[in-house]
């Protein structure tokens, strides 16, 4: 059953804005290309990969999921992540996706966390893969728009923590290949801090995979 808005507004593609469908074949092809290696200024010490640049289709889709509450975009964004992960993963090892944390106030305002939602979709497409939201963002983290690399690092330093429920992480086998997932990689501050926090509980991410790299 559609919402009232669905009755008023025609469907638009979340990637290019074309009328008629919520995600078009051209945008699916654009986001489905091989992931590219990226090197953020703040180096998390593990390889970082992006589905594409923070421009065009990827940027519009990420922003629509984030700012316009386009929850439906978790499906195509998650599928695109799954394509990239299928290429990058080591064979014969379970894959564990850890969504990078979002500022809780921002996530609430948006009606949920689009990164966790896309990661959950990606996990459903992949064999022997789970998405486990292990990280949360504490209070006092500012919106990072306009901050320098140093300011961004300071902004998240000590503010990312593991979720209180240890059952979520004790079940992770030593064989699992852990990949940190985020929507946008800018300076690398969030993934650096996330990697540091995970390593404190003995979880070492093998890679970072993001939808867009700025
Ligand atoms: Zn499109």
């Amino acid at each position: 059953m559609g919402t009232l808005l669905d009755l008023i507004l025609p469907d638009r593609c979340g990637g290019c804005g074309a009328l008629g469908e919520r995600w078009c074949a051209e945008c699916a092809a654009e986001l489905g290309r091989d992931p590219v290696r990226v090197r953020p200024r703040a180096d998390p010490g593990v390889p970082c990969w992006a589905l594409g640049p923070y421009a065009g289709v990827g940027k519009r889709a990420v922003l629509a999921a984030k700012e316009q509450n386009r929850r439906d975009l978790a499906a195509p964004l998650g599928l695109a992540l799954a394509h990239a992960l299928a290429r990058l993963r080591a064979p014969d090892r379970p894959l564990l996706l850890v969504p990078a944390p979002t500022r809780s106030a921002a996530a609430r305002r948006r009606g949920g966390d689009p990164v966790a939602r896309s990661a959950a979709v990606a996990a459903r497409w992949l064999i022997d893969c789970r998405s486990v939201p292990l990280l949360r963002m504490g209070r006092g983290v500012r919106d990072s728009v306009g901050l320098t690399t140093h300011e961004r690092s300071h902004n998240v330093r000590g503010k990312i923590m593991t979720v209180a429920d240890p059952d979520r992480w004790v079940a992770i086998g030593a064989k699992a290949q852990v990949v940190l997932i985020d929507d946008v990689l800018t300076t690398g501050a969030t993934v650096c801090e996330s990697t540091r926090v995970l390593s404190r509980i003995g979880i070492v991410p093998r890679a970072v995979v993001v939808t867009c790299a700025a």
Side-chain angles (χ1 to χ4, degrees):
M1 191 171 70
T3 64
L4 188 58
L5 271 180
D6 291 333
L7 299 175
I8 299 165
L9 298 172
D11 281 344
R12 274 186 187 278
C13 172
C16 64
L19 285 169
E21 51 194 333
R22 299 182 69 80
W23 187 251
C24 76
E26 285 83 2
C27 288
E30 178 73 28
L31 221 56
R33 294 202 184 139
D34 282 348
V36 289
R37 183 80 188 270
V38 290
R39 289 174 175 78
R41 263 169 286 168
D43 181 9
V46 297
C48 300
W49 300 85
L51 304 188
Y54 191 48
V57 170
K59 180 178 183 177
R60 279 194 293 269
V62 162
L63 287 178
K66 242 182 191 170
E67 312 294 349
Q68 295 158 30
N69 205 20
R70 282 282 305 263
R71 289 176 180 228
D72 59 300
L73 294 176
L77 289 172
L79 178 58
L81 282 170
H83 275 301
L85 289 160
R87 286 183 178 85
L88 297 170
R89 76 183 294 183
D92 311 325
R93 286 181 68 185
L95 191 59
L96 185 89
L97 309 181
V98 179
T102 316
R103 287 189 309 136
S104 51
R108 266 199 304 278
R109 202 172 53 238
R110 295 171 201 144
D113 182 341
V115 176
R117 210 174 280 137
S118 298
V121 170
R124 285 200 290 274
W125 282 102
L126 295 161
I127 294 162
D128 204 5
C129 177
R130 285 190 304 150
S131 176
V132 186
L134 287 174
L135 299 170
R136 67 182 180 87
M137 195 76 92
R139 290 171 189 279
V141 179
R142 289 188 290 156
D143 189 341
S144 60
V145 172
L147 300 184
T148 64
T149 304
H150 178 76
E151 287 166 340
R152 281 173 188 249
S153 297
H154 185 75
N155 191 30
V156 294
R157 188 84 184 170
K159 306 277 177 51
I160 293 175
M161 46 214 88
T162 47
V163 292
D165 177 10
D167 289 346
R168 288 209 200 165
W169 46 271
V170 290
I172 297 162
K175 264 191 75 186
Q177 198 182 25
V178 178
V179 176
L180 195 60
I181 303 290
D182 208 350
D183 52 1
V184 184
L185 184 67
T186 310
T187 62
T190 302
V191 293
C192 273
E193 183 68 3
S194 297
T195 304
R196 200 176 69 81
V197 169
L198 286 173
S199 69
R200 279 208 308 251
I201 57 167
I203 295 174
V204 183
R206 296 294 168 201
V208 173
V209 177
V210 300
T211 307
C212 301

